[in-house]
Amino acid sequence: MVTVKGRKSSSKNPPILSHEFVIQNHADIVSCVAMVFVIGLMVQVTSPWAYMFIAIHHNVTNTTEDPTAVIKYTTGWKDACAVFFYFLIAIIMHAVLQEYIFDKISKRLHLSKVKLSKFNESSQLIVFYTLSALWAIDIIIRENILLNIWALWEEYPAPMSASLKLFFIGQLSYWLHCYPELYFQRIKKEDILQRVLHATIGLIFTFAAYFFNFQHLALILLTLHYVGDALLHAARLVHFISQKEKRTKLSFLVANSTYAFARIVTIGLTCVVFLYGLRKQEFKFDYATGNFNTPPVQFSAALIISLFQGYLLYFFIKKQIKRARENAAPVVVKTKPKQKPKKREGKKSALSEDDDLPEVDQATKKNLRNRPSAKAK
């Protein structure tokens, strides 16, 4: 009786709920959690509960008196539910972009481990910065914020449009999703502190602007910040992909100029709004209406933002000076000294022996050497 053995698979599936299983299938797991909220909208019993997580809330517009009025929103505790749902969406989008786009591109480039980590980080950030900057520019144009700049302090605290509120919910969701991505992407220990610090700073500044109702000012400042950082990461990608030095220098020249300009404009606009515009308005603190126009808030916001932007500008200039010195330093090429040809030891020893004899004996000895030797019979 002949038995046929089954074919052994070379790749073993990791155990369910193990670390490797969660990392490999985290996008599918999070998708199932997000689908629970989507399916909950279809059931009448759970639709109010699911609607709290998917939709935006805290409407302050009275549509009964004017049905054509533009709906405006304010902040509230229900925003945390929406942030959680879009936090799940951010994890899913991160995994999709990484697996179907960035991993395929990085395989063709054949990068080292260090460059591969930087490539993945810059690729994800440039997508987020570019989409956020385009979304913010669209809001600024639609709501005419830039041409009506004095409204930043005259109409404070101004309610938000649906697009602006959704923009900030998306920002908070993205910065929160950066923490579990440290585990899902197997980030090295030496890179964790930098990633955590970057995500924490983005989360704190975005949440502070959202909580204290400075959303319109933060929209302009975030646009400047994202454009500068997006160009820097784009220049880094050009450096990895392109082998032409001229393209790399041109991309970094444009990125560096924009980055420095964005930092300076951010400091100037912050000081104008907090130290000039809001000080002309009535000082008032009212938590119910979201009015935090008080001197401690004004000076604290202006000081923190200015110091942070100044630190970024100082660190950036210091880094550029260091690179310029390294490129300007002459490259010293070490050359091995040429070895003199060695003389044969036999001739050297013979000559040294002849030097000790007088001239007549030296000539006699040379003649004896030049004679052919007799053959042995």
Side-chain angles (χ1 to χ4, degrees):
M1 186 176 179
V2 181
T3 58
V4 180
K5 294 182 179 181
R7 186 176 61 182
K8 294 182 180 181
S9 58
S10 57
S11 60
K12 295 181 180 180
N13 294 325
I16 297 177
L17 298 181
S18 63
H19 290 287
E20 190 66 25
F21 178 84
V22 173
I23 291 173
Q24 290 183 4
N25 303 281
H26 73 274
D28 298 330
I29 296 171
V30 175
S31 299
C32 294
V33 177
M35 285 299 297
V36 171
F37 297 99
V38 177
I39 295 173
L41 289 174
M42 304 177 185
V43 182
Q44 186 175 3
V45 178
T46 59
S47 59
W49 175 77
Y51 184 77
M52 184 185 300
F53 284 85
I54 297 176
I56 54 178
H57 301 278
H58 303 287
N59 178 14
V60 293
T61 305
N62 190 357
T63 55
T64 56
E65 298 179 357
D66 186 7
T68 60
V70 179
I71 299 176
K72 297 289 184 178
Y73 298 88
T74 185
T75 59
W77 66 270
K78 292 183 180 179
D79 296 338
C81 300
V83 169
F84 175 75
F85 176 78
Y86 291 101
F87 157 81
L88 302 176
I89 301 300
I91 295 176
I92 298 169
M93 293 302 299
H94 187 117
V96 169
L97 291 173
Q98 187 66 43
E99 183 176 357
Y100 293 100
I101 298 178
F102 302 137
D103 285 346
K104 293 184 178 180
I105 295 175
S106 61
K107 287 180 181 179
R108 296 182 179 181
L109 297 177
H110 304 288
L111 301 173
S112 62
K113 290 184 178 180
V114 177
K115 289 186 177 181
L116 181 61
S117 177
K118 293 181 179 180
F119 175 82
N120 291 331
E121 181 186 8
S122 296
S123 300
Q124 293 287 348
L125 287 175
I126 196 174
V127 171
F128 169 70
Y129 288 151
T130 304
L131 293 178
S132 298
L134 293 175
W135 192 358
I137 291 171
D138 178 70
I139 297 173
I140 291 171
I141 295 174
R142 287 177 180 272
E143 300 187 12
N144 198 20
I145 298 175
L146 197 60
L147 298 178
N148 194 19
I149 196 71
W150 53 85
L152 294 176
W153 56 82
E154 290 182 353
E155 298 180 3
Y156 174 83
M160 297 174 286
S161 62
S163 181
L164 182 58
K165 186 178 179 68
L166 190 60
F167 173 82
F168 274 93
I169 289 175
Q171 298 297 305
L172 295 172
S173 303
Y174 178 84
W175 294 121
L176 281 174
H177 109 284
C178 293
Y179 296 104
E181 287 296 336
L182 299 173
Y183 172 71
F184 295 146
Q185 299 297 323
R186 297 188 180 96
I187 303 301
K188 296 180 180 179
K189 291 183 179 180
E190 55 268 22
D191 297 335
I192 288 179
L193 181 61
Q194 180 185 358
R195 301 280 185 95
V196 169
L197 186 63
H198 183 217
T200 304
I201 291 174
L203 181 63
I204 290 175
F205 275 90
T206 306
F207 177 77
Y210 186 73
F211 179 79
F212 289 103
N213 288 318
F214 296 112
Q215 296 92 350
H216 294 84
L217 173 62
L219 185 70
I220 300 175
L221 300 183
L222 287 176
T223 304
L224 294 170
H225 179 76
Y226 289 163
V227 169
D229 281 19
L231 290 176
L232 274 182
H233 287 284
R236 182 190 284 185
L237 293 182
V238 171
H239 174 65
F240 290 151
I241 297 173
S242 179
Q243 297 179 353
K244 295 183 179 181
E245 189 176 356
K246 290 184 179 180
R247 292 182 181 178
T248 304
K249 287 184 177 180
L250 180 61
S251 59
F252 273 108
L253 178 62
V254 175
N256 294 340
S257 303
T258 307
Y259 185 88
F261 175 77
R263 304 281 84 77
I264 296 171
V265 174
T266 300
I267 295 174
L269 184 58
T270 300
C271 294
V272 168
V273 173
F274 286 105
L275 303 181
Y276 171 74
L278 289 174
R279 290 188 65 82
K280 293 173 62 177
Q281 307 301 315
E282 180 185 0
F283 293 157
K284 186 178 180 180
F285 175 78
D286 189 358
Y287 181 79
T289 59
N291 193 332
F292 299 94
N293 187 23
T294 57
V297 174
Q298 295 171 2
F299 285 106
S300 299
L303 183 63
I304 292 172
I305 295 175
S306 299
L307 288 177
F308 178 68
Q309 295 297 321
Y311 169 77
L312 292 179
L313 187 60
Y314 166 76
F315 183 76
F316 174 76
I317 294 174
K318 183 180 178 181
K319 194 174 182 180
Q320 296 304 315
I321 294 174
K322 183 179 178 181
R323 286 183 178 178
R325 288 178 178 175
E326 291 176 354
N327 295 332
V331 181
V332 179
V333 180
K334 295 183 179 179
T335 57
K336 294 182 179 180
K338 294 183 179 180
Q339 296 179 353
K340 295 182 179 180
K342 295 182 179 179
K343 296 181 180 180
R344 294 181 182 179
E345 294 179 356
K347 288 186 178 181
K348 185 176 180 181
S349 60
L351 291 173
S352 62
E353 291 175 359
D354 294 345
D355 292 339
D356 297 335
L357 298 174
E359 294 182 357
V360 179
D361 296 337
Q362 289 181 10
T364 306
K365 196 169 184 178
K366 286 181 181 178
N367 292 330
L368 291 173
R369 285 176 184 169
N370 293 332
R371 289 180 183 181
S373 58
K375 295 183 180 179
K377 291 181 180 181

